[in-house]
């Protein structure tokens, strides 16, 4: 199975400041169809996960443009330009290229 | 507004069975791939199973293969997960997920506790 390794696992942030999370894959996530199926999710406390980014860099409808995704092959990054209170929670990267689809361990973003 | 309402969770003894349901509304259910994703208490996420829009394709993570069966009823806008031979390690919140190429919708989750 594909192993996704996120770092850091805990990220203390200052509201209004930027934040960045990385996700490294044990193998290339480029699908045979040419797409790279890497998603980013946010799970706020007590809530279901919500997808923010799909196919590396596409924002889900309604996701603020302060969120951006980038990367290729085995290394991916989620950046938040200015962290807002509603951005706190656990972030997961996820790959949908190789079955079984797998998630990273999660990165907890909390106020410093 | 899209709603995915899960039900059927509860406390069950090891080795027994349970059937989860997910009732969908606000979307064209028959057009979506549907999935179950689980989260053990205090842990991360695990993608469990997928089913194609017409129900002809099913995919399972190895840890549930042969024990769990995903199914759907497009006439009733409903998704199911039949779970047999349950193990303590199956204890988790189970989320139903509706997927298209550009949209993801998640249900609120239903808790399954496997314990003697």
């Amino acid at each position: 199975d594909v192993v996704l390794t996120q770092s850091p696992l805990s990220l203390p942030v200052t509201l209004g400041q930027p934040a960045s999370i990385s996700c490294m894959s044990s193998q290339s996530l480029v699908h045979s169809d040419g797409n790279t199926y890497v998603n980013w999710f946010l799970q706020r406390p007590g809530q279901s996960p919500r997808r923010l980014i799909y196919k590396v860099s596409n924002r889900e409808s309604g996701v603020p443009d302060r969120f951006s995704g980038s990367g290729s092959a085995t290394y991916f990054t989620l950046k938040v330009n200015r962290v807002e209170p509603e951005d706190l929670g656990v972030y997961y990267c996820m790959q949908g290229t190789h079955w079984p689809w797998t998630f990273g361990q999660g990165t907890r973003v909390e106020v410093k | 507004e899209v709603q995915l309402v899960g039900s059927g969770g509860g406390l069950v003894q090891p080795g027994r069975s349970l059937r989860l349901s997910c009732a969908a509304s606000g979307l064209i259910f028959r057009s979506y791939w549907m999935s179950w994703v689980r989260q053990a208490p205090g842990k991360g996420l695990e993608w469990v199973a997928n089913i194609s829009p017409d129900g002809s394709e099913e995919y399972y993570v190895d840890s549930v293969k042969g024990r769990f069966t995903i199914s759907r009823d497009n006439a009733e806008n409903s998704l199911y997960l039949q779970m047999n031979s349950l193990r303590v390690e199956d204890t988790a919140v189970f989320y139903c997920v509706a997927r298209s190429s550009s949209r993801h919708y998640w249900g609120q989750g239903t808790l399954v506790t496997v314990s003697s």
Side-chain angles (χ1 to χ4, degrees), chain A residues 1 39 41 43 47-51 54-55 59-61 92 94 99-105, chain B residues 37 39 43-50 59-61 95 99-104 106-108:
Chain A
D1 297 358
N39 301 317
F41 293 85
Q43 186 173 30
Q47 295 188 17
S48 303
R50 173 196 181 191
R51 192 172 72 169
Y54 64 96
K55 286 195 285 186
R59 273 188 304 276
E60 187 91 6
S61 175
Y92 296 93
M94 174 239 159
W99 185 258
W101 297 350
T102 50
F103 291 89
Q105 321 97 299
Chain B
V37 177
Q39 186 170 36
K43 302 296 185 182
L45 299 164
E46 180 181 37
W47 206 284
V48 174
N50 287 342
Y59 301 89
Y60 300 93
V61 68
Y95 297 99
R99 299 182 293 113
S100 70
S101 59
S102 60
R103 297 306 304 269
H104 254 218
W106 288 61
Q108 89 285 6

Side-chain angles (χ1 to χ4, degrees), chain A residues 43 49 92 103 105 108, chain B residues 37-48 87-95 110-114:
Chain A
Q43 186 173 30
Y92 296 93
F103 291 89
Q105 321 97 299
R108 185 174 300 277
Chain B
V37 177
R38 68 182 176 182
Q39 186 170 36
K43 302 296 185 182
L45 299 164
E46 180 181 37
W47 206 284
V48 174
R87 304 168 180 168
V88 171
E89 56 265 33
D90 293 319
T91 294
V93 173
F94 284 74
Y95 297 99
T110 184
L111 176 62
V112 172
T113 303
V114 185

Side-chain angles (χ1 to χ4, degrees), chain B residues 14-81:
Chain B
R16 304 299 290 261
S17 299
L18 208 58
R19 188 193 197 205
L20 303 184
S21 300
C22 175
S25 61
L27 76 170
I28 303 174
F29 182 75
R30 64 181 182 275
S31 299
Y32 283 77
W33 279 80
M34 296 297 297
S35 304
W36 290 99
V37 177
R38 68 182 176 182
Q39 186 170 36
K43 302 296 185 182
L45 299 164
E46 180 181 37
W47 206 284
V48 174
N50 287 342
I51 187 167
S52 59
D54 65 357
S56 63
E57 298 177 58
E58 301 171 20
Y59 301 89
Y60 300 93
V61 68
D62 280 352
S63 58
V64 308
K65 207 174 291 184
R67 299 188 300 123
F68 290 10
T69 302
I70 189 172
S71 62
R72 64 191 296 160
D73 184 336
N74 286 346
E76 296 292 328
N77 291 341
S78 292
L79 175 73
Y80 305 101
L81 186 67

Side-chain angles (χ1 to χ4, degrees), chain A residues 1-6 23-30 38 72-76 93 95 98 100 102-104:
Chain A
D1 297 358
V2 174
V3 175
L4 298 181
T5 303
Q6 290 183 228
C23 177
M24 187 178 306
S25 174
S26 60
Q27 58 184 275
S28 174
L29 299 181
V30 180
V38 169
S72 63
T74 63
Y75 190 81
F76 304 90
C93 60
Q95 66 84 19
H98 303 288
T102 50
F103 291 89

